[in-house]
């Protein structure tokens, strides 16, 4: 028995396209509900763990050694194996959600990757520290306050969530669409790719992929960004370099959100949710 690519280019009627659109929206809804459920379950687990840990603890003069899961996979990395494992499991869940009920429709799978990826954008925003450019860079995010997990730990998940979950799904979405355009013919341009590359929605999509790829390159697992390590010590303080890094990082995220908003109509609700989440994050940081 030979394995073959199960998805193919198929023609759909208007009714079937509408059904596909409804399934895509349902995927985004399920993806967001699953994240909300995960936040609730984490909070309940921490509450239950704290309740069981109220008994007096024995005096330990020596710090406990970190477990294998709570150690970084490579020397100099910040994120732990546990954090990589959690984000990898979440990526697997979202991929299974993309494949669910897609049948043999190649474009259904392609659209699902982009739809599910952007549905996670608001939560990615809610994990970011809201006051990183001020005198309180360690201010807790809304996710940190809801789960009672310290913000430095949330920051690690924020970095990995962008690198291991959102970016691969969006890049996969773009590559599959490019493959479809290159393999489809057009009477005037030869290939559909040469026609669609002139359309504004595709150009905005390309800009979004460039932005998310740039964000990934600026969020490496080293203690300091590679570009920061290359700067001379006399070129500015560590705080200034950090502020430059975050300014570039946030600027790229804004470009990604703006490009996604103009790319397709269905993505606008997720970008609006991300904007509202960002304002709520900053508001809570200022108040608390």
């Amino acid at each position: 028995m030979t394995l073959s690519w199960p998805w193919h280019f198929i023609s759909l009627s208007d009714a079937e396209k509408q059904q596909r659109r409804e399934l895509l929206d349902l995927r985004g809804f399920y993806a967001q509900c699953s994240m909300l459920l995960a936040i609730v379950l984490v909070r309940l687990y921490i509450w239950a763990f704290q309740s069981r840990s109220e008994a007096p603890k024995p005096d330990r003069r020596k710090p406990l050694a970190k477990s294998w899961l709570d150690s970084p996979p490579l020397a100099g990395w910040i994120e732990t194996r546990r954090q990589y494992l959690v984000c990898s499991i979440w990526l697997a869940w979202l991929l299974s959600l993309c494949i669910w009920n897609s049948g043999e429709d190649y474009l259904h799978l392609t659209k699902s990757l982009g739809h599910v990826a952007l549905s996670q954008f608001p939560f990615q925003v809610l994990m970011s520290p809201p006051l990183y450019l001020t005198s309180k860079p360690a201010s807790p995010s809304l996710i940190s306050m809801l789960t009672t997990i310290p913000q430095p730990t949330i920051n690690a998940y924020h970095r990995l969530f962008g690198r291991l979950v959102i970016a691969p799904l969006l890049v996969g979405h773009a590559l599959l669409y490019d493959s479809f355009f290159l393999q489809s013919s057009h009477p005037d341009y030869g290939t559909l790719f040469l026609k669609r590359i002139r359309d504004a929605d595709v150009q905005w999509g390309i800009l979004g992929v460039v932005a998310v790829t740039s964000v990934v390159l600026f969020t490496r697992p080293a203690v300091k960004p590679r570009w920061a390590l290359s700067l001379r010590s006399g070129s500015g303080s560590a705080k200034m370099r950090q502020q430059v890094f975050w300014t570039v990082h946030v600027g790229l995220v804004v470009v990604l959100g703006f490009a996604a908003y103009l790319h397709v109509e269905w993505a606008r609700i997720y970008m609006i949710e991300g904007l509202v989440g960002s304002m709520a994050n900053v508001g809570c940081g200022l108040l608390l």
Side-chain angles (χ1 to χ4, degrees), residues 117-150:
L118 292 183
S119 73
Q120 304 297 284
F121 182 79
F123 298 100
Q124 176 73 345
V125 171
L126 291 175
M127 284 192 288
S128 62
L131 304 179
Y132 38 77
L133 293 178
T134 68
S135 59
K136 299 179 180 180
S139 54
S141 63
L142 271 174
I143 298 295
S144 176
M145 288 185 284
L146 290 173
T147 60
T148 69
I149 296 176

Side-chain angles (χ1 to χ4, degrees), residues 170-220:
L170 287 179
V171 172
H173 166 78
L175 291 177
L176 288 181
Y177 246 125
D178 286 342
S179 177
F180 169 73
F181 291 152
L182 288 170
Q183 296 182 62
S184 301
S185 60
H186 191 279
D188 298 326
Y189 295 90
T191 64
L192 186 59
F193 179 84
L194 295 178
K195 163 63 174 64
R196 294 291 281 128
I197 199 67
R198 293 171 167 81
D199 296 334
D201 61 324
V202 172
Q203 292 172 354
W204 285 117
I206 293 173
L207 178 61
V209 172
V210 170
V212 75
T213 304
S214 301
V215 169
V216 170
L217 294 177
F218 273 94
T219 53
R220 303 187 65 83

Side-chain angles (χ1 to χ4, degrees), residues 5 14 18 30 62-63 107 128 134 139 148 155 175 211 220 224 226 232 236 242 254 288:
W5 180 254
D14 291 341
Q18 178 60 29
Y30 284 165
K62 294 183 179 180
L107 286 181
S128 62
T134 68
S139 54
T148 69
N155 287 342
L175 291 177
R220 303 187 65 83
K224 290 183 179 180
R226 182 173 295 179
R232 296 181 179 178
Q242 187 180 34
V254 170
L288 301 177

